[in-house]
Amino acid sequence: GSDVVLQTSGAVRIEAEETLNLSQVAGGAAIGSVGVGGFVAVADYGGYVGARIGDRTVIDNASALTVDARLNSGNDITIDLPDNNTATVSAVNSTVIGAAVGLVGLSASVASVNLDENVTAEIGDDVQVTLADDSSAVTVDALRDVDADVRVAAVAGGLAAAGISYAGVEASGNALAQIGANTVVGSNTARTGDVLIRARNSSTQEALAVSAGLAYAGALVGAVVDMSDTGTTTANIGNGAEIYSSGSIQLLADEKARNSSEARGVAVAAGVGLSVISSDIDVDRDAVVSVGNNATLTADNITMTASFADGNNYIADAEVLGASGGVLAGVSGSENFIDVDTN
């Protein structure tokens, strides 16, 4: 809450953490003169994790101050597949496998995951912080780190066969680490230790769509992946804030979003085989470091860094593979779109 007074000789730690586990597995088989199978899984998650020191709080004589907020996903899990097979997927996953066999076999598998996740670690406005001595550190840290998997497969067989698979992932959310307006940390005669204001996004989205059709007369397959990832990672010091450190003041906005898409399809027929494969990834994420008007920062070292990805991490990666064959004709069409907008 606001207007709180904390007097202690120990460390003050404000912490909020959520571990997300969301698993969907759907599928089946349709067999008959006309085998028609439709298998769908849809997941929506909207969440907020916040650790905050309220406005006008007074913290006196603490040995350290930490405000930490983090959202992450659980450990990878193993799911059972037909014929005693298994697959390892992220704790946040949607897996759909469908098959249809008949004189006419029609199979459609759809999985869609929508994730809206925001994480905030914040010292509010007009807060007064006086720590025990110049070795007492201040840390404000926000971490958004959720790994999501979407896997879809559709298989169809018959005199005529069509298999369609669609994997959709829509991810959005912000990570914010902030010291508020007019907040005072230390003083010129009673400085704190190192001060770290850090916001990180390390979330990963992966999607796989696979379709296969085997038929005598004609086979049609389609595999589509549609992904988007939007948000901002921000480390901020508000207007009029004052921070006095005997060591370093570091502001870091570290953006390491990763998006991976695979779309594959194969159509084989004695007559005509047709495959249409598509992947579309749209990324719009920013990494921002900001210091407000009339703020005062005093330290031996001051660093401000906004970073996006690095040599070991891709922002967006896509693979599209289509194949078709037929005695009369085999036609395959593929498209691959990647749009990355970062600041």
Side-chain angles (χ1 to χ4, degrees), residues 163-224:
I164 307 296
S165 63
Y166 172 85
V169 181
E170 183 176 345
S172 62
N174 306 317
L176 170 64
Q178 177 171 269
I179 292 180
N182 302 311
T183 286
V184 178
V185 179
S187 68
N188 203 28
T189 57
R191 298 189 184 189
T192 70
D194 293 338
V195 177
L196 173 63
I197 305 163
R198 178 173 63 181
R200 294 172 289 166
N201 176 55
S202 300
S203 292
T204 299
Q205 289 72 232
E206 297 184 351
L208 169 66
V210 177
S211 293
L214 177 62
Y216 181 77
L220 167 66
V221 300
V224 178

Side-chain angles (χ1 to χ4, degrees), residues 64-271:
L65 174 60
T66 301
V67 182
D68 186 281
R70 59 187 61 216
L71 173 66
N72 50 51
S73 49
N75 296 327
D76 290 350
I77 62 175
T78 300
I79 61 174
D80 294 326
L81 300 177
D83 298 326
N84 296 318
N85 293 316
T86 61
T88 300
V89 296
S90 298
V92 179
N93 76 87
S94 184
T95 303
V96 179
I97 301 173
V101 179
L103 292 177
V104 178
L106 305 174
S107 177
S109 297
V110 176
S112 178
V113 174
N114 303 308
L115 303 172
D116 184 11
E117 315 144 342
N118 296 287
V119 182
T120 299
E122 181 180 14
I123 298 176
D125 298 338
D126 300 298
V127 174
Q128 303 289 320
V129 178
T130 303
L131 299 186
D133 55 44
D134 61 7
S135 67
S136 301
V138 176
T139 302
V140 182
D141 196 1
L143 172 63
R144 180 179 180 268
D145 184 11
V146 174
D147 298 331
D149 256 340
V150 177
R151 302 188 183 194
V152 179
V155 180
L159 181 65
I164 307 296
S165 63
Y166 172 85
V169 181
E170 183 176 345
S172 62
N174 306 317
L176 170 64
Q178 177 171 269
I179 292 180
N182 302 311
T183 286
V184 178
V185 179
S187 68
N188 203 28
T189 57
R191 298 189 184 189
T192 70
D194 293 338
V195 177
L196 173 63
I197 305 163
R198 178 173 63 181
R200 294 172 289 166
N201 176 55
S202 300
S203 292
T204 299
Q205 289 72 232
E206 297 184 351
L208 169 66
V210 177
S211 293
L214 177 62
Y216 181 77
L220 167 66
V221 300
V224 178
V225 174
D226 186 12
M227 304 180 69
S228 67
D229 186 6
T230 61
T232 303
T233 300
T234 304
N236 178 62
I237 295 175
N239 295 335
E242 300 179 29
I243 302 176
Y244 301 90
S245 169
S246 64
S248 65
I249 298 174
Q250 182 179 6
L251 285 86
L252 172 62
D254 188 20
E255 176 60 61
K256 286 187 172 61
R258 290 165 289 169
N259 295 273
S260 178
S261 163
E262 292 184 52
R264 303 174 183 175
V266 58
V268 178

Side-chain angles (χ1 to χ4, degrees), residues 266-280:
V266 58
V268 178
V272 177
L274 174 63
S275 66
V276 179
I277 315 301
S278 175
S279 171
D280 188 358

Side-chain angles (χ1 to χ4, degrees), residues 296-311:
T296 300
L297 306 183
T298 303
D300 290 345
N301 297 288
I302 299 174
T303 60
M304 303 180 189
T305 305
S307 62
F308 203 104
D310 57 35

